[in-house]
């Protein structure tokens, strides 16, 4: 498998079962902010969170994951390991800055389902009757329906108990920067196990259907995304976030000597296009354009500037608009020549040599310098040198304006 879940194998054998179930461990891969009253440990490949109030800690402890929910991974579950004193456990989603001292759903831009009373909390400190209470051994889950047609920021959130939907789906306005997973604990010795993120069909807890869908597009093409709606063709990306919010998708396959160029066609734009394309590490922050953060580089359509590891662009090329095609490629020539030490390599045909070079690159390429270049409508406009980050350079596409739509072409021939 090439999807993001396969990367869990590189972290430890204990995660193999999780990966085989098309489930990805957001906590392990991307981290989490954890309230002062919560302790974390790992057991049998899963993260356990327990409430144990410490000096300086609050009466509530929240785990807020650093990776937002997306069309690719729209569902996650926890299991109640210990009910603690009051079984005051909650699960939900909220804004990126959600406070770590407030149960999911208590504050603005959040929603949560609570185990002790089965109530739904939707941006308020008082709940409404919603579903059954949950007990030790139960699994609590939350999913998001990102279907088109609910407005640029309207989504629907649903909850499950032991895989079965509870209550009803609730309209929920997408916060700026996306929906961030939340787990809340509110009484001594409560303990939950995080069971990972996966794709689930909207409003469904049927894992068999989920397995069918997760093995086809768009996970065959994309590893991570935020604020992106995928068209019928997984190479078609549609902006679905708040205007001026950053929507981004990161490919599941890094660049190498055999896959060294891709293009993006700007299919629709309601004004000046705000598409950005470029390269960065797999763990790139999903609220930023290519080039804004460390280890990344990007060419932006709205101003024609090149951004390289910071938010300050420099004049680089022409602007781009609807109908234009932006391209990005990597020249591994210097790296390839420096690793051709065997004279027999020169006698091999080009295809065999390329395959050998690619295999060698995947083992030794990180940390090497390469040349990255960009094109507009097939014509090269400039280049820049970069050091290949650990794990390689992943193609990235970003947008930030309503109505924007692009098509991505990997292995394009222009480069």
């Amino acid at each position: 498998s090439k999807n993001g879940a396969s990367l869990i194998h590189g972290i430890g054998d204990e995660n193999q079962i999780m990966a085989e179930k098309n489930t990805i461990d957001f906590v392990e891969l991307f981290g989490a902010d954890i309230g002062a009253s919560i302790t974390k440990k790992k057991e049998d490949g899963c993260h356990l969170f327990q409430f144990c109030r410490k000096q300086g800690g609050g009466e509530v402890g929240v785990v807020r994951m650093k990776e937002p929910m997306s069309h690719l991974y729209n569902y996650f579950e926890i299991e109640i390991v210990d009910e603690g004193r009051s079984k005051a456990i909650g699960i939900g989603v909220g804004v990126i800055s959600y406070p770590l001292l407030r149960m999911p759903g208590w504050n603005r831009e959040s929603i949560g389902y609570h185990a002790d009373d089965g109530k739904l909390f939707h941006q308020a400190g008082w709940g409404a009757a919603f579903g059954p209470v949950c007990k030790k051994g139960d699994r609590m889950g939350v999913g998001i329906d990102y279907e088109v047609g609910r407005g640029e920021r309207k989504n629907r959130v649903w909850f499950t108990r032991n895989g079965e939907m509870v209550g009803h789906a609730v309209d929920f306005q997408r916060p700026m920067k996306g929906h961030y997973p939340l787990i809340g604990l509110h009484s001594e010795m409560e303990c939950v196990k995080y069971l990972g993120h996966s794709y689930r069909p909207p409003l469904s807890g049927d894992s068999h259907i989920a397995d069918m869908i997760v093995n086809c597009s768009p996970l065959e093409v994309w590893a991570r995304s935020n604020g992106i709606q995928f068209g019928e063709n997984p190479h078609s990306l549609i902006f679905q976030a708040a205007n001026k919010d950053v929507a981004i998708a990161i490919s599941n396959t890094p660049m190498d000597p055999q896959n060294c160029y891709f293009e993006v066609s700007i299919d629709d734009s309601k004004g000046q296009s705000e598409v950005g394309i470029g390269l960065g590490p797999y763990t790139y922050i999903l609220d930023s354009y290519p080039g804004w953060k460390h280890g990344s580089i990007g060419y932006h359509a709205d101003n024609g500037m090149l951004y390289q590891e910071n938010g300050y662009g420099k004049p680089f090329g022409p602007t781009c608009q609807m109908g234009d095609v932006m391209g990005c490629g990597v020249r591994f020539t210097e790296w390839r020549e420096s690793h051709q030490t065997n004279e027999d390599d020169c006698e091999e045909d080009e295809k065999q040599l390329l395959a050998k070079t690619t295999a060698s690159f995947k083992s030794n390429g990180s940390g090497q310098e390469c040349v990255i270049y960009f094109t507009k409508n097939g014509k090269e406009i400039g280049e820049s040198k970069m050091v290949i980050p650990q794990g390689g350079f992943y193609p990235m596409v970003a947008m930030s304006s309503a109505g924007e739509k692009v098509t991505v072409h990997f292995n394009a021939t222009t480069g």
Side-chain angles (χ1 to χ4, degrees):
S1 171
K2 291 184 178 181
N3 66 46
S6 66
L7 297 182
I8 295 179
H9 289 284
I11 296 173
D13 293 339
E14 68 270 13
N15 288 293
Q16 183 172 349
I17 295 176
M18 184 177 283
E20 288 175 349
K21 291 182 178 179
N22 295 312
T23 301
I24 186 170
D25 187 336
F26 275 20
V27 175
E28 188 74 31
L29 286 173
F30 311 112
D33 295 310
I34 301 173
S37 295
I38 290 182
T39 59
K40 181 185 78 167
K41 64 178 179 179
K42 200 167 185 183
E43 194 174 279
D44 297 327
C46 292
H47 294 280
L48 275 70
F49 299 99
Q50 185 171 45
F51 188 92
C52 183
R53 189 173 182 182
K54 305 173 184 176
Q55 186 174 3
E59 295 182 357
V60 172
V62 167
V63 177
R64 184 185 64 224
M65 297 181 206
K66 295 183 178 181
E67 179 82 352
M69 308 275 275
S70 71
H71 291 72
L72 300 174
Y73 295 100
N74 69 334
Y75 179 81
F76 78 97
E77 285 187 334
I78 61 173
E79 178 184 330
I80 300 176
V81 177
D82 194 319
E83 297 180 3
R85 186 180 70 245
S86 303
K87 197 170 56 179
I89 296 165
I91 186 173
V93 294
V95 68
I96 188 174
S97 58
Y98 195 77
L100 302 180
L101 296 172
R102 302 286 290 172
M103 288 291 286
W106 279 6
N107 283 35
R108 291 185 59 191
E109 298 188 290
S110 73
I111 188 169
Y113 169 45
H114 293 196
D116 58 333
D117 53 16
K119 288 184 177 181
L120 177 77
F121 291 77
H122 188 184
Q123 306 190 101
W126 57 89
F130 184 69
V133 299
C134 302
K135 61 183 186 303
K136 180 178 178 179
D138 283 344
R139 303 189 326 270
M140 301 175 69
V142 56
I144 301 178
D145 178 355
Y146 287 103
E147 294 298 318
V148 178
R150 305 191 189 286
E152 65 177 25
R153 293 186 63 186
K154 278 288 186 181
N155 303 125
R156 304 197 83 188
V157 177
W158 83 95
F159 294 91
T160 63
R161 175 177 175 268
N162 297 327
E164 298 293 328
M165 181 179 170
V166 299
H168 55 275
V170 181
D171 286 335
F172 181 66
Q173 187 157 314
R174 181 187 188 272
M176 286 290 287
K177 301 182 183 295
H179 306 92
Y180 285 78
L182 303 174
I183 301 169
L185 304 177
H186 192 12
S187 72
E188 203 67 22
M189 301 310 294
E190 289 172 347
C191 183
V192 300
K193 179 189 296 185
Y194 165 63
L195 300 177
H197 275 69
S198 61
Y199 175 82
R200 286 286 181 95
L203 315 183
S204 171
D206 191 328
S207 60
H208 298 294
I209 297 177
D211 288 342
M212 292 169 57
I213 293 180
V214 81
N215 288 325
C216 61
S217 60
L219 277 169
E220 290 180 352
V221 180
W222 304 101
R224 301 170 61 214
S225 71
N226 189 22
I228 294 288
Q229 169 73 33
F230 298 97
E232 292 184 7
N233 180 335
H235 294 86
S236 176
L237 311 182
I238 304 164
F239 180 85
Q240 194 190 47
N243 201 29
K244 301 303 178 182
D245 199 357
V246 176
I248 187 170
I250 299 178
S251 168
N252 63 18
T253 306
M255 303 286 257
D256 61 44
Q258 283 185 299
N259 305 291
C260 56
Y261 181 75
F262 72 100
E263 289 184 333
V264 175
S265 302
I266 303 175
D267 301 327
D268 198 1
S269 181
K270 302 303 181 185
Q272 175 61 56
S273 175
E274 296 185 0
V275 172
I277 74 168
L279 304 169
Y282 171 81
T283 54
Y284 193 72
I285 298 174
L286 293 183
D287 63 1
S288 299
Y289 265 89
W292 282 3
K293 302 295 184 181
H294 179 71
S296 71
I297 186 170
Y299 168 42
H300 295 195
D302 60 330
N303 56 17
M305 288 189 175
L306 179 75
Y307 292 79
Q308 190 164 344
E309 299 193 286
N310 64 66
Y312 302 97
K314 63 180 181 180
F316 184 68
T319 61
C320 302
Q321 55 192 330
M322 188 171 70
D324 286 331
V325 178
M326 305 171 70
C328 176
V330 182
R331 291 195 179 94
F332 295 103
T333 307
E334 295 179 13
W335 184 91
R336 176 174 168 175
E337 290 175 352
S338 69
H339 286 74
Q340 285 183 15
T341 56
N342 189 336
E343 292 183 1
D344 292 338
D345 287 347
C346 300
E347 300 178 3
E348 296 186 66
D349 63 43
E350 182 67 19
K351 187 174 181 180
Q352 290 177 322
L353 181 58
L354 186 60
K356 179 182 286 187
T357 303
T358 298
S360 177
F361 169 79
K362 289 180 176 179
S363 300
N364 307 298
S366 297
Q368 302 290 327
E369 191 174 72
C370 65
V371 175
I372 298 171
Y373 64 95
F374 294 92
T375 65
K376 178 185 176 182
N377 298 329
K379 182 179 179 181
E380 185 172 334
I381 57 177
E383 66 181 32
S384 185
K385 289 187 176 181
M386 284 278 289
V387 173
I388 301 169
Q390 182 67 36
F393 272 128
Y394 285 77
M396 303 189 295
V397 182
M399 301 175 273
S400 63
S401 61
E404 201 110 55
K405 180 180 179 181
V406 303
T407 301
V408 184
H409 311 274
F410 292 108
N411 301 321
T413 58
T414 305

